[in-house]
Amino acid sequence: METNEGQRSAAHEIALEMFAGQTEGTETEGSSSSSSRIPVIDLTGPPEVVRRQIWDAAANEGFFQVVGHGIDWALIDELFAMAEAFFDLFDKVEGQYGYTTSANAGWEKNWQRICNSVTPSDLKESFQMTHHTDFIEGSPLWPKELPQLKQHAARFMQEAHRVTLVILSHIAVSLGLPPSFFEAHLDWRRPNHQSGPRLHKYHDVTDTYRHFPPNTHRIAAHTDWALLTLLFQREGQGGLRVCPGMSVLSQSNQQQQQQGGTKELQWIGVEPMRDAICVNIGDSLKGWSDDQLQSTFHRVRLPREGECTGPRYSMVYFAQANKDSIIQGPNRTYPPISAGDFIWQRIKSTFPDRDAS
């Protein structure tokens, strides 16, 4: 029997409500050493071994880190330096490159707020780009103060796209599909392409982190909507926490929430590793796999005593299927839905104040 898409969206909202009701005292935070529970996979290993490792991690934790990916980390270091320079601009040029929904690109600051989160807004600013030829070559949103950003970002998009296809080829085979199955759904030359990177700066909280109310986070608990998310972190700037086994939404937790209670949650730290990319499964790939893979809730918590309280920089690449791609797994667990409609449903449930303009 097919599961109604509206029921899945309702389950997503229930999960967000559950996390909003949690306090720090009811959760067990993972220490930095517990990041070893998030698998590290060498993509240069024997294909059969790599395929099994990716599937096991995606089906259990929903998160894993990859090395041996072939990206020159000097490019990542250069982009982090440009991100610092870019975000330093905005005391003087704020708003010149503001986010537009039509381009799905631009700068935002203290705007996003996860629905039902107790955090007033995410404690960060970001600059989103789109991996599409028209944007790369002709968008007015590229900051003229950093002319080299466009060239470096274009290289980054190509490399992130390549690694995405490597990982998805293994997942496709595990699903009984051809290795190249996802390539046509991620064709960045098409006008309805949705993938792209985002630069993040989480604000310096050195003078304020002790004064925030309980359960305040740099970004609240959420899942990603994409097929895959590739996260690039800077060493020494931690804070990412994942909740293994908590995706959208386990039946047992949904029943407990409806009965007025939830199980204790354990948050596991994913500490930054140089040359390692943190990968997580998104909601659309969870659906495409008939829920065999886990789109796991994660957040970035505030630093604590003895941890880095300065700004935290990260870069993400969201690999999203083209808008006209139809998401439906081999077992037809869910009705078919276009990737464009899928993303829009997630936007409405997570950011109810955002419109489609």
Side-chain angles (χ1 to χ4, degrees):
M1 178 181 297
E2 291 184 343
T3 302
N4 184 276
E5 181 65 28
Q7 292 176 334
R8 179 161 57 175
S9 295
H12 187 259
E13 294 181 12
I14 289 172
L16 291 170
E17 290 173 359
M18 186 191 71
F19 282 110
Q22 291 283 338
T23 63
E24 291 292 335
T26 62
E27 298 177 5
T28 303
E29 281 284 356
S31 65
S32 59
S33 61
S34 66
S35 63
S36 60
R37 290 186 54 178
I38 303 302
V40 179
I41 300 170
D42 186 350
L43 295 180
T44 64
E48 298 81 5
V49 174
V50 173
R51 185 172 304 129
R52 184 178 65 252
Q53 291 175 331
I54 288 176
W55 182 264
D56 288 346
N60 292 300
E61 293 85 6
F63 269 78
F64 51 95
Q65 300 203 75
V66 296
V67 296
H69 43 70
I71 296 180
D72 184 354
W73 212 255
L75 171 63
I76 306 304
D77 290 335
E78 291 167 356
L79 272 176
F80 273 129
M82 290 181 190
E84 282 196 65
F86 173 77
F87 290 120
D88 285 346
L89 291 173
F90 285 97
D91 287 339
K92 297 180 179 179
V93 296
E94 182 175 85
Q96 289 187 30
Y97 311 105
Y99 179 89
T100 65
T101 306
S102 59
N104 190 29
W107 172 74
E108 295 177 318
K109 184 174 183 178
N110 296 346
W111 182 89
Q112 293 180 333
R113 179 184 184 277
I114 303 296
C115 182
N116 296 316
S117 167
V118 299
T119 304
S121 61
D122 291 351
L123 302 177
K124 65 177 177 63
E125 55 186 305
S126 62
F127 182 73
Q128 180 150 322
M129 296 158 277
T130 300
H131 189 181
H132 186 269
T133 302
D134 290 347
F135 176 81
I136 294 172
E137 294 181 355
S139 175
L141 294 174
W142 290 108
K144 58 182 181 294
E145 293 83 359
L146 289 171
Q148 67 273 39
L149 176 61
K150 179 166 71 171
Q151 178 183 358
H152 282 73
R155 285 178 54 205
F156 172 74
M157 293 181 208
Q158 292 173 353
E159 289 291 270
H161 179 74
R162 176 184 58 79
V163 174
T164 295
L165 293 182
V166 169
I167 295 170
L168 285 176
S169 70
H170 288 296
I171 291 175
V173 172
S174 296
L175 287 170
L177 301 169
S180 61
F181 174 81
F182 288 105
E183 290 184 13
H185 298 287
L186 292 166
D187 187 348
W188 53 266
R189 295 165 298 185
R190 299 186 60 184
N192 58 8
H193 185 71
Q194 298 190 100
S195 297
R198 185 183 297 164
L199 309 177
H200 285 154
K201 176 187 178 182
Y202 295 85
H203 302 321
D204 187 326
V205 293
T206 301
D207 298 326
T208 57
Y209 76 95
R210 297 183 183 88
H211 308 298
F212 284 105
N215 210 25
T216 300
H217 309 290
R218 279 175 156 173
I219 182 171
H222 64 285
T223 60
D224 294 341
W225 310 324
L227 289 168
L228 286 181
T229 299
L230 274 59
L231 170 68
F232 300 76
Q233 302 187 86
R234 256 184 169 175
E235 286 183 296
Q237 297 181 3
L240 174 63
R241 295 294 184 268
V242 306
C243 193
M246 196 59 202
S247 61
V248 183
L249 183 67
S250 71
Q251 185 176 4
S252 61
N253 276 307
Q254 185 173 348
Q255 291 172 343
Q256 290 179 41
Q257 171 66 15
Q258 291 170 340
Q259 295 168 3
T262 58
K263 71 176 184 179
E264 185 176 56
L265 304 178
Q266 184 179 21
W267 293 91
I268 305 300
V270 185
E271 293 303 309
M273 294 171 50
R274 184 173 178 81
D275 297 323
I277 305 171
C278 183
V279 181
N280 65 280
I281 305 301
D283 295 344
S284 57
L285 187 54
K286 174 179 165 63
W288 223 323
S289 72
D290 295 302
D291 290 347
Q292 295 180 78
L293 305 183
Q294 301 303 309
S295 178
T296 303
F297 275 89
H298 53 284
R299 69 187 187 192
V300 177
R301 70 156 169 78
L302 284 171
R304 295 176 175 175
E305 200 72 38
E307 298 176 344
C308 176
T309 58
R312 176 183 184 267
Y313 295 89
S314 69
M315 296 185 295
V316 291
Y317 182 84
F318 295 111
Q320 299 184 154
N322 295 340
K323 289 182 180 180
D324 60 352
S325 292
I326 301 300
I327 298 173
Q328 187 173 48
N331 298 330
R332 301 178 183 270
T333 300
Y334 298 105
I337 184 173
S338 72
D341 288 343
F342 184 93
I343 295 299
W344 180 235
Q345 285 188 2
R346 284 293 181 266
I347 291 173
K348 288 193 296 184
S349 65
T350 308
F351 305 118
D353 296 332
R354 175 168 283 186
D355 58 37
S357 61

